Amino acid sequence: EELVTMLYRYAGSPAMNVPELALIGGYPDSAHVSAWAQDAFAWALSRGIIEGRDGKLAAGSPVTRAEAATILARFHILSK
């Protein structure tokens, strides 16, 4: 949650519309995403920055070094 939220805020906290916010609901653990991170997760999912882990968002789980590298690389590529 923290990593995705930091990137979302760095990107200027773009406004999310209803279809983007609905992306979170497609994951079985969507209720575990903290309220303060929901816009950030919707943004990251809609931009392809995150895709989930084993079909889940895994919002409360630590990010591995490989996952962090992938997320940062995707953010960098998509922010050009």
Side-chain angles (χ1 to χ4, degrees), residues 27-74:
Y27 292 84
D29 62 339
S30 62
H32 299 293
V33 177
S34 299
W36 54 265
Q38 288 182 0
D39 284 353
F41 266 84
W43 167 80
L45 286 166
S46 70
R47 302 303 188 278
I49 295 171
I50 61 171
E51 297 175 355
R53 181 191 301 159
D54 299 324
K56 297 180 181 177
L57 292 172
S61 301
V63 177
T64 67
R65 183 173 40 193
E67 289 169 335
T70 300
I71 290 168
L72 292 171
R74 288 177 182 163

